[in-house]
Amino acid sequence: MRNSNERTYYIEQRKRLVERTVRIWVRGVWHDFQVYSVPVDGLLLNADNRRFRAEKMWAQEHLGRELDPENNPVDELSIASLLLDVSHRVEGDKVVGKPSGAYEALKTDWMLRKQESPLWIRPDGTVRNGNRRLSMIKRLQKQVGSSSLEEVEAIILPETLIDEPSLLEMEQREQLTENFKVRYNDIDYLLALREAAEIREIQWHERDSINDVAGQLQSMVEKSHQVVVRDLFAVKYMDLFLDDSEQPGQYHRLLKTLERFRDIGRMMMQVEEQYPLEAAEILQTLFAAVRANKGHLDIRKIRSMFKSDRTRFDKLASKVAEAEAKWDTTGGPALSNPLSPTLFDVDVSDDEETDADGEGPGPDVANYPKDEVSTAIDLAIDGFLASQQDDVAQVLQEVWNRLEVLADGGRISTALTGEDGSAVQQSLAKIFGWVDANRHLLESAD
């Protein structure tokens, strides 16, 4: 393995001028960069690539060490897998996975059209934009040999011309756009957005600051101001959730939860302005939904419940608080490190790829009263949705459909003697009381 100085010398000696330049927007002006042909074996995958930051955290925790491709060839294979594969797992001392549909498409396009745009590299060969393509090329070299794959086109970005903050913005402008071929995974996108916001000295507790920074970022990510504000609020509450879980910065524990935190952010934008004194209780309920593995659609229904049926939402909040009062948080409310950063797509067949931006199962929280909280949320949502229906006949039919499965009485008798017997008895008493109180309606109709 070559060190940084050796790679710098090797690339400088081997680079060949290509008769074209590339224009890139740098610090508010266009710059023309000369394109060179450089040796692939002098290039190094960037272990700090923002595209897989959360997955890297996951890998390092399972491997028990830092990924260091400069000094460990096995780690270069692990980084390539994080960039190109799905259904990751650790085998021995490296990360492996199943080639993704995006990788297969990238490979097919490369074999057909060759290189479309140059890689961005530092003088020592560290790749700052184009790591997926370099990973694909190095994998192809092992599979089909090095013929025609020994060199790639690149522009060389010296630190004397482009410092790290400028390069960060260049990378984000290039990679954080909606029309980019392969977008960031959910939390990696939020982390890149967070970093760009921090560079602009965002004040997360000030709404005006969030609005102002969103305005600065919207052209870079090619999204509307409103969407960038939404995503910055998602970042804010993702950080607060990790702080509340006593695991700040452990973003890999929240992989595939972007939509949950987007909906939490949407709701808390309103709460912060209109209900500041109740924000803590409301946020506790929303975080409880995440800990109970409820999806973003459930969180969206809770948000609707809060807006149009505050009494029902308050009852749900009380049940959540009651359940969490029994939560044993000895040692802290830990979140587990998932077995795989894409655990939910492990069983996807070869001809059916799960969307890389799909929603995962959510974090696994130690000793959390998940079943009790989940049931409280399900019942509250069910009651809320029923309250929104105007068709009385349909509501009654839905009630009967549920009671009909208990018609023979056997399941009820068994449940009455089980661990939930008291709750079953209370529910039966409510049903019989409702029937007795409303029996006259049927008699008057006759």
Side-chain angles (χ1 to χ4, degrees):
M1 294 290 289
R2 300 181 179 91
N3 61 34
S4 178
N5 291 333
E6 291 169 339
R7 291 194 309 274
T8 300
Y9 179 79
Y10 181 64
I11 291 172
E12 182 63 28
Q13 294 301 308
R14 293 284 304 274
K15 70 182 183 182
R16 293 186 297 105
L17 194 65
V18 175
E19 295 300 325
R20 68 187 182 94
T21 59
V22 172
R23 299 190 79 199
I24 300 177
W25 186 258
V26 184
R27 289 183 292 194
V29 296
W30 287 106
H31 281 262
D32 292 316
F33 290 90
Q34 179 62 56
V35 179
Y36 296 92
S37 180
V38 298
V40 168
D41 62 355
L43 302 181
L44 179 71
L45 291 175
N46 181 17
D48 296 321
N49 187 346
R50 295 175 179 87
R51 172 161 287 149
F52 64 94
R53 192 178 317 182
E55 289 84 350
K56 176 189 172 185
M57 293 179 184
W58 167 86
Q60 290 180 159
E61 182 164 335
H62 279 290
L63 290 169
R65 58 179 176 78
E66 297 287 316
L67 288 171
D68 182 14
E70 183 171 18
N71 298 301
N72 187 348
V74 171
D75 286 351
E76 188 172 60
L77 298 177
S78 293
I79 289 175
S81 182
L82 291 173
L83 287 166
L84 300 175
D85 298 335
V86 295
S87 302
H88 296 107
R89 63 189 185 281
V90 171
E91 284 189 358
D93 202 32
K94 67 177 183 294
V95 175
V96 299
K98 183 183 70 174
S100 68
Y103 161 70
E104 296 295 345
L106 180 65
K107 179 176 68 174
T108 299
D109 182 70
W110 184 279
M111 299 297 284
L112 177 65
R113 301 191 303 135
K114 305 306 178 187
Q115 187 172 359
E116 179 181 3
S117 59
L119 278 60
W120 300 359
I121 66 173
R122 285 300 200 185
D124 70 350
T126 302
V127 177
R128 298 305 298 264
N129 186 38
N131 281 277
R132 291 183 64 255
R133 286 176 287 162
L134 179 62
S135 298
M136 179 268 298
I137 290 167
K138 291 195 172 190
R139 183 175 287 185
L140 281 177
Q141 286 179 333
K142 296 180 183 299
Q143 294 174 349
V144 302
S146 298
S147 178
S148 77
L149 297 170
E150 295 93 344
E151 295 184 344
V152 292
E153 293 183 354
I155 59 174
I156 301 174
L157 307 174
E159 294 184 13
T160 53
L161 175 63
I162 301 175
D163 59 15
E164 279 301 301
S166 298
L167 182 53
L168 167 63
E169 182 158 343
M170 291 166 62
E171 291 173 343
Q172 291 176 329
R173 184 177 296 278
E174 182 75 8
Q175 297 176 350
L176 281 182
T177 58
E178 285 294 334
N179 59 359
F180 192 69
K181 289 182 180 177
V182 180
R183 288 182 292 166
Y184 279 61
N185 282 331
D186 53 10
I187 283 182
D188 295 317
Y189 157 73
L190 287 186
L191 293 182
L193 194 68
R194 181 184 188 279
E195 188 170 3
E198 292 282 353
I199 287 174
R200 290 159 178 80
E201 300 182 347
I202 189 171
Q203 301 299 312
W204 294 103
H205 61 283
E206 295 180 9
R207 179 66 176 268
D208 288 344
S209 177
I210 293 176
N211 283 329
D212 179 59
V213 170
Q216 297 177 47
L217 294 176
Q218 69 179 93
S219 63
M220 184 180 74
V221 300
E222 295 186 5
K223 296 175 184 254
S224 70
H225 180 266
Q226 182 179 3
V227 168
V228 179
V229 169
R230 176 203 66 186
D231 287 343
L232 288 173
F233 267 88
V235 171
K236 173 180 177 176
Y237 284 98
M238 178 179 67
D239 275 335
L240 287 174
F241 180 84
L242 288 171
D243 289 345
D244 190 57
S245 301
E246 299 182 14
Q247 292 184 305
Q250 300 295 300
Y251 300 106
H252 59 298
R253 303 181 190 281
L254 298 180
L255 284 158
K256 303 298 179 184
T257 61
L258 171 59
E259 290 303 323
R260 289 175 172 93
F261 286 98
R262 273 180 171 160
D263 279 302
I264 288 174
R266 286 188 187 101
M267 182 165 172
M268 293 307 296
M269 277 192 278
Q270 175 187 0
V271 169
E272 286 181 5
E273 287 191 343
Q274 300 180 17
Y275 310 94
L277 298 180
E278 302 166 77
E281 179 187 45
I282 294 166
L283 188 59
Q284 179 185 20
T285 304
L286 296 175
F287 282 176
V290 176
R291 292 185 171 109
N293 294 157
K294 311 309 290 184
H296 77 279
L297 293 178
D298 286 329
I299 292 175
R300 195 166 294 174
K301 291 168 187 170
I302 293 173
R303 179 180 169 217
S304 296
M305 185 193 310
F306 174 81
K307 291 167 64 176
S308 59
D309 192 344
R310 187 62 191 277
T311 300
R312 193 180 301 274
F313 175 86
D314 288 343
K315 288 181 180 177
L316 171 60
S318 296
K319 288 186 179 295
V320 166
E322 182 181 337
E324 289 192 342
K326 297 176 284 186
W327 180 16
D328 179 10
T329 58
T330 303
L335 309 177
S336 70
N337 187 23
L339 295 177
S340 167
T342 49
L343 180 63
F344 66 96
D345 68 3
V346 168
D347 294 325
V348 174
S349 63
D350 291 338
D351 60 352
E352 183 180 356
E353 182 98 34
T354 294
D355 181 0
D357 293 319
E359 187 170 39
D364 184 18
V365 186
N367 303 318
Y368 190 71
K370 176 181 173 182
D371 291 342
E372 187 174 350
V373 171
S374 180
T375 297
I377 291 172
D378 288 343
L379 290 175
I381 289 175
D382 183 67
F384 170 67
L385 294 178
S387 72
Q388 303 301 297
Q389 291 182 236
D390 294 326
D391 191 335
V392 174
Q394 181 179 343
V395 173
L396 289 171
Q397 184 59 50
E398 290 172 355
V399 170
W400 170 242
N401 287 342
R402 299 188 181 198
L403 291 174
E404 190 177 23
V405 301
L406 306 173
D408 63 6
R411 289 177 63 184
I412 296 178
S413 297
T414 301
L416 282 168
T417 59
E419 62 180 21
D420 294 327
S422 177
V424 173
Q425 187 174 13
Q426 290 177 24
S427 295
L428 281 174
K430 291 178 183 177
I431 292 171
F432 293 148
W434 185 91
V435 170
D436 290 339
N438 291 279
R439 191 185 302 275
H440 68 282
L441 295 175
L442 183 60
E443 294 171 350
S444 62
D446 290 339

